[in-house]
Amino acid sequence: MEIQQLYFVIADISGYTRFVTLHKQSLLHAERIVGNLLEAVMSEAKPPLQIHELLGDAVTMYAPADHTHSTADLIYTQMQRMHEAFNSTESSHISDCSMCACDACNNIDKLKLKIIAHVGEAAFTKVGGIRKVSGEDVILTHRWLKNSIPSREYFLLTEEFVSALHEDVGAGFLRHKETLEGLGSKTAFYLNLNSDPQPAKPTFFSKFKKNTELNFHYVARILGKPARKFRNLPE
């Protein structure tokens, strides 16, 4: 058994369970879509980051930890690229599957990506000839997948990972405390990446425009004249 300091990264697809159980006949489409999304994420995992396991809706990765900030910075940059690749692939699937009526193809946009990053100690062991990474810090990284963060699309960096970074990535990150099963209270920082379009709130001017046009049409009908829009109101 070999013990090393490692960076741990988990990229997990939110909404996977509901997505693949919507309908039996759409299961093949669902698995193909999820597989392509994971492949897009994995394609951005460059050395020193290595793929460890593929777990249905998630991929786990690790990289040897050194005493410089460059590795942590590089991993964070790759996390950003993973998120971009996921969104790009998802958008392509939404476009390509627009003619399919199955539940999977009509709910692609419900899938989101969250990525957890931590640094700590781990042991390398072999089970049935397969090299495994294990230890408390590995468990801690997985425990962070179950949390009360009010988002399904985010980066979560543990205190240890943030300390390893050289770049100032604090802008937009929020401190979050969570009681993790069997590990007690822990602190991390998360960045909400929610890309769902928010409905535009009506401005004062848009309300004014709507009311003015309605009143104009009403007066026009009373006078028996054709209703025309004011020229100075934007379309």
Side-chain angles (χ1 to χ4, degrees):
M1 184 170 65
E2 179 187 359
I3 297 177
Q4 288 187 26
Q5 284 286 118
L6 298 175
Y7 291 102
F8 310 104
V9 177
I10 300 179
D12 180 82
I13 297 179
S14 301
Y16 169 82
T17 302
R18 184 175 186 280
F19 184 72
V20 297
T21 56
L22 284 170
H23 254 295
K24 287 185 179 180
Q25 57 262 42
S26 64
L27 179 60
L28 290 178
H29 282 195
E31 291 293 354
R32 176 176 62 84
I33 291 165
V34 170
N36 289 343
L37 290 172
L38 286 175
E39 282 183 4
V41 170
M42 293 163 63
S43 69
E44 297 300 330
K46 313 292 185 184
L49 204 57
Q50 301 176 50
I51 304 297
H52 179 227
E53 284 184 312
L54 194 59
L55 304 170
D57 62 340
V59 55
T60 65
M61 297 159 268
Y62 69 84
D66 49 28
H67 298 290
T68 68
H69 298 293
S70 57
T71 302
D73 293 349
L74 179 60
I75 289 172
Y76 182 74
T77 299
Q78 290 186 30
M79 287 168 57
Q80 293 173 312
R81 290 174 180 165
M82 288 174 191
H83 183 249
E84 291 168 2
F86 179 93
N87 285 345
S88 176
T89 303
E90 184 178 62
S91 295
S92 295
H93 273 295
I94 290 172
S95 176
D96 294 343
C97 297
S98 60
M99 300 301 291
C100 180
C102 82
D103 286 333
C105 289
N106 280 284
N107 285 276
I108 300 172
D109 62 328
K110 302 297 190 299
L111 297 173
K112 305 296 177 186
L113 184 71
K114 56 178 180 279
I115 305 180
I116 316 293
H118 176 55
V119 59
E121 203 171 67
F124 282 96
T125 58
K126 277 194 174 181
V127 179
I130 298 173
R131 201 179 191 205
K132 298 282 292 181
V133 177
S134 59
E136 184 175 318
D137 284 302
V138 177
I139 294 170
L140 183 146
T141 310
H142 282 266
R143 288 281 194 272
W144 270 114
L145 289 170
K146 303 289 185 182
N147 59 62
S148 57
I149 290 173
S151 175
R152 296 189 303 118
E153 183 179 15
Y154 56 82
F155 291 155
L156 185 145
L157 312 178
T158 65
E159 283 186 307
E160 293 82 0
F161 189 89
V162 170
S163 297
L165 284 168
H166 180 267
E167 291 183 353
D168 180 13
V169 296
F173 275 83
L174 299 174
R175 181 186 294 270
H176 181 79
K177 281 192 174 184
E178 193 82 34
T179 300
L180 304 180
E181 182 184 350
L183 298 171
S185 179
K186 300 292 181 181
T187 300
F189 300 85
Y190 77 94
L191 178 65
N192 188 356
L193 301 170
N194 185 9
S195 57
D196 288 337
Q198 299 297 317
K201 295 181 179 179
T203 62
F204 170 79
F205 183 76
S206 65
K207 290 180 180 179
F208 171 78
K209 175 187 173 184
K210 180 179 179 181
N211 292 336
T212 303
E213 288 182 342
L214 288 175
N215 291 337
F216 182 74
H217 278 260
Y218 177 70
V219 173
R221 284 200 302 271
I222 293 176
L223 297 177
K225 295 182 179 181
R228 295 172 184 161
K229 293 182 179 179
F230 290 120
R231 290 183 180 180
N232 63 333
L233 289 177
E235 295 298 329

